[in-house]
Amino acid sequence: MKIDTNPSSKPLPGTSARLLEILSVSAKLGLTSFGGPIAHLGYFREEYVRRRSWLDERSYAELVALCQFLPGPASSQVGIGIGIVRGGLLGGLAAWIGFTLPSILLLIAFAVFVQHFNIAGAGWIHGLKIAAVAVVAQALLGMGRSLAPDRARATFAVLAAAAVLLWPSAFIQIAVIAAAAAGGLLLLRAQEPDIPELSVPVGRKFAVFCLILFAVLLLGLPILRASGSGIGLGLADGFYRAGALVFGGGHVVLPLLEREVVPTGWIGAGDFLAGYGAAQAVPGPLFTFGAYLGWMIGGLKGALIGTVAIFLPAFLLIAGTLPFWSTLRQNRRVQQALLGVNAAVVGILLAALYDPLWTSTIRSAVDFAGAAGLFALLVFWKTPPWIVVALGAAGGWIPGMFYG
């Protein structure tokens, strides 16, 4: 089914009225969308499909499928895609700004607080870290059930976890993803879906330009970083690469970013995990964690570089693939490669759960009990993640009450 991107009864894509409409609606979602990417997709469906009829159900499902196929923050990419369909490229930009800006500002405020107060040994910071353990464990459980449900893909996941733990580097993670894609082509089977056509106001020539720019930046930024100096290039390269190589959702960005900023000494492991815990408690996409890290490393300039660099791959990929999606997803070999990649993502997240989360956080039986309790609230009691994070912080704040 095609989307009518230019009905005669509505303003043309890209006009000021339509852009302001996209910005205001996405900002409302950015202020209220708690609960992670799956919850975000539910909020999007309610607002964009049911209330406003910007897309029909089939087209929305197709767009969600595309964003699950691409690396990057799936919910943000769905929002950008809806903005592009509604108002062209400027509409996609307006949708991204509205959805991400609230959490960016909240996390920068948290970074300012962390920098100006001595909280290194604060109990509530330790509580945030324990909450982060529970949240990542929940994400791992859900992803494992859907992305590694059989013996072959579970084996892919275990081998990926072992590789990134035994040889910890960003290049090993890239190699693991590439090897998993090759393994999927050779060993896994995929069913060919029946995909309708999705029509968007982006020309194929411009889409190809976006894909070329995506690849040029992915390959060129490490070269510029090696030949230049300064934290700015390092942030741009590390955060862009993290945003470009994350399959499976925002939680998988944790190990990629940790390898970039903690071993280099740009930020301490405690401050890194405290920010990650805080990112669970704010609405909007988890990728805005890049704004927190950027501020902690380089102030306002660092926050701007971190935010733009980590989200830019998502924008380039969604703009570059939307016009080709129907044809691309029919390719069975592409599907096979993705089955392997998605299974490897589960392994990368498993490795991150162990190191740095578990090794730096769970220091006693009390810590383990606290993490287990928060995990039970998430998985069995379906408690919203922001409430679990608040409870974790509160448990660490009360001296000697919960965590040792």
Side-chain angles (χ1 to χ4, degrees):
M1 180 179 295
K2 291 187 178 182
I3 298 173
D4 183 3
T5 60
N6 187 20
S8 59
S9 61
K10 297 180 181 179
L12 292 173
T15 62
S16 297
R18 180 164 289 195
L19 294 178
L20 287 174
E21 178 191 33
I22 294 170
L23 180 63
S24 63
V25 174
S26 59
K28 184 182 79 170
L29 290 166
L31 288 165
T32 58
S33 296
F34 291 91
I38 300 303
H40 297 165
L41 296 178
Y43 293 129
F44 286 176
R45 177 179 173 274
E46 179 67 25
E47 187 68 31
Y48 292 132
V49 179
R50 299 189 62 182
R51 292 191 58 193
R52 298 182 180 273
S53 299
W54 288 4
L55 291 83
D56 57 43
E57 291 279 5
R58 186 83 180 267
S59 298
Y60 179 70
E62 182 184 346
L63 181 59
V64 170
L66 168 59
C67 296
Q68 297 292 341
F69 166 90
L70 296 173
S75 61
S76 295
Q77 286 171 315
V78 169
I80 292 169
I82 292 172
I84 290 175
V85 167
R86 181 70 175 168
L89 293 170
L90 289 177
L93 182 61
W96 173 74
I97 291 172
F99 186 57
T100 58
L101 188 58
S103 55
I104 287 171
L105 296 177
L106 287 170
L107 288 175
I108 287 177
F110 181 74
V112 172
F113 178 81
V114 169
Q115 285 181 327
H116 287 81
F117 293 90
N118 183 16
I119 61 170
W124 64 273
I125 290 292
H126 189 59
L128 280 179
K129 297 178 189 178
I130 289 177
V133 171
V135 170
V136 172
Q138 181 207 26
L140 177 63
L141 178 65
M143 291 173 62
R145 287 171 173 169
S146 61
L147 301 180
D150 50 53
R151 287 182 295 181
R153 282 179 283 179
T155 302
F156 275 44
V158 171
L159 291 175
V164 298
L165 285 172
L166 292 174
W167 300 285
S169 77
F171 293 104
I172 285 296
Q173 292 176 7
I174 296 172
V176 163
I177 290 173
L185 283 171
L186 294 173
L187 302 174
L188 302 178
R189 293 182 179 181
Q191 295 181 348
E192 188 172 342
D194 178 21
I195 300 297
E197 184 179 355
L198 181 65
S199 177
V200 293
V202 175
R204 290 199 168 195
K205 289 183 179 179
F206 184 81
V208 171
F209 168 78
C210 288
L211 294 177
I212 292 173
L213 180 59
F214 168 83
V216 168
L217 290 173
L218 184 61
L219 298 175
L221 283 173
I223 297 173
L224 290 175
R225 180 180 183 178
S227 61
S229 60
I231 292 180
L233 271 177
L235 281 176
D237 170 43
F239 283 41
Y240 183 88
R241 190 156 17 91
L245 298 175
V246 170
F247 288 85
H251 292 286
V252 187
V253 82
L254 173 69
L256 293 175
L257 289 177
E258 192 272 342
R259 298 285 187 266
E260 293 292 334
V261 300
V262 175
T264 58
W266 289 348
I267 186 173
D271 288 342
F272 179 89
L273 292 174
Y276 183 76
Q280 312 296 327
V282 300
L286 186 60
F287 268 46
T288 53
F289 182 41
Y292 166 86
L293 293 176
W295 185 279
M296 293 290 289
I297 295 167
L300 178 60
K301 179 181 177 182
L304 290 173
I305 293 174
T307 302
V308 171
I310 201 169
F311 278 103
L312 182 58
F315 197 97
L316 293 175
L317 285 172
I318 194 69
T321 54
L322 268 175
F324 304 104
W325 172 232
S326 298
T327 302
L328 184 63
R329 189 150 186 251
Q330 295 285 357
N331 189 308
R332 183 170 298 192
R333 294 184 66 80
V334 171
Q335 296 174 54
Q336 291 173 313
L338 285 172
L339 289 176
V341 167
N342 288 334
V345 161
V346 176
I348 291 173
L349 188 59
L350 174 62
L353 177 62
Y354 174 72
D355 183 15
L357 279 174
W358 190 278
T359 56
S360 64
T361 302
I362 306 302
R363 305 188 298 230
S364 67
V366 177
D367 289 344
F368 177 81
L374 296 176
F375 177 79
L377 288 175
L378 284 167
V379 174
F380 303 112
W381 291 88
K382 309 301 180 185
T383 307
W386 69 270
I387 293 179
V388 169
V389 170
L391 289 174
W397 178 71
I398 303 172
M401 180 64 70
F402 293 108
Y403 309 129

